Amino acid sequence: MGDHHNVNLPPGFRFYPTDEELVVHFLHRKAALLPCHPDVIPDLDLFPYDPWELHGKALGEGNRWYFYSRKIEARVTDNGYWKPLGRDEPVVSAATSDIVGMKKYFVFHVGEVGAATGAAKTNWIMHEFRLCDGASSSTAAARSSKRRGRPKRDYSKWVLCRVYERDEEKEEEDGAELSCLDEVFLTLDDLEEISLPNRIQ
């Protein structure tokens, strides 16, 4: 696609999909090898790149970047790593209340994983979306590959990532709201830090 940070949309239209739209209309179609119109989200191997290097490589809209990536365990770059926060959150269909995918939160830290001096937490946040039923997706991908005469590829391992840098001042000006989970995850490095008051007997 070339320059991914410029989306060819009419004036007034912006790319701000909901979590459900990212999973249902983009990630499910990617996993099933179906065409997506418009085809604006690129494939990108995230982990060689620090988040501030995504401009011009991922699809950018405002201060958010979108891309497909392969699902891997170690999310480490040359200058830091993505640290997972808490448990996965289900992505629920508004129409049927079915779980259509899962969303995981990450925050970028500058420094080495497990370094004695510790790494510096940044304002870079990543939402990683994955399908919750990999079997049906890979079956659909296999059928599609056979119809097209292409070798079988396992597309159930794809994830869709949304990366942004949190700007508290701008959020206050724009009136942007974060979900309750976003607020919890951004204030804690680890859910183990949550302490609940003792119940009064």
Side-chain angles (χ1 to χ4, degrees):
M1 277 185 56
D3 191 3
H4 297 296
H5 64 276
N6 288 324
V7 183
N8 189 19
L9 294 175
F13 285 82
R14 305 187 72 180
F15 189 78
Y16 279 109
T18 64
D19 293 353
E20 180 187 355
E21 289 167 341
L22 285 173
V23 172
V24 173
H25 297 290
F26 291 94
L27 188 54
H28 269 283
R29 297 186 71 82
K30 176 74 168 177
L33 296 180
L34 296 172
C36 190
H37 301 292
D39 184 14
V40 293
I41 301 179
D43 298 346
L44 183 65
D45 187 6
L46 164 67
F47 306 109
Y49 301 110
D50 294 313
W52 49 86
E53 296 177 320
L54 292 175
H55 183 72
K57 298 178 178 68
L59 166 64
E61 178 62 50
N63 70 333
R64 295 175 179 239
W65 286 267
Y66 301 84
F67 54 91
Y68 297 110
S69 184
R70 287 299 210 167
K71 191 190 322 182
I72 62 174
E73 291 300 320
R75 296 165 178 83
V76 179
T77 72
D78 288 340
N79 294 307
Y81 61 95
W82 291 97
K83 181 178 179 179
L85 297 173
R87 298 180 180 178
D88 294 3
E89 176 186 337
V91 178
V92 179
S93 167
T96 64
S97 298
D98 293 336
I99 295 176
V100 294
M102 300 300 290
K103 174 182 178 181
K104 192 168 187 65
Y105 293 79
F106 295 83
V107 64
F108 190 74
H109 287 69
V110 174
E112 293 183 18
V113 179
T117 56
K121 180 179 175 182
T122 71
N123 286 334
W124 287 98
I125 309 299
M126 179 167 69
H127 301 158
E128 183 182 272
F129 299 91
R130 73 173 195 277
L131 300 177
C132 48
D133 185 7
S136 63
S137 296
S138 75
T139 302
R143 279 200 294 263
S144 179
S145 295
K146 286 177 183 175
R147 284 198 304 268
R148 300 180 187 188
R150 295 179 182 173
K152 180 181 175 183
R153 297 177 67 189
D154 185 5
Y155 275 77
S156 65
K157 301 300 183 186
W158 286 103
V159 295
L160 198 162
C161 301
R162 173 170 58 206
V163 175
Y164 64 98
E165 185 176 20
R166 189 182 183 213
D167 185 340
E168 296 177 6
E169 291 181 7
K170 189 173 189 305
E171 285 172 2
E172 290 177 5
E173 291 172 7
D174 295 345
E177 294 184 9
L178 295 174
S179 72
C180 294
L181 283 177
D182 277 336
E183 291 288 358
V184 169
F185 291 150
L186 292 175
T187 56
L188 301 174
D189 279 335
D190 205 328
L191 283 184
E192 293 175 359
E193 296 179 23
I194 297 177
S195 60
L196 298 175
N198 294 329
R199 277 199 321 194
I200 299 174
Q201 300 295 331

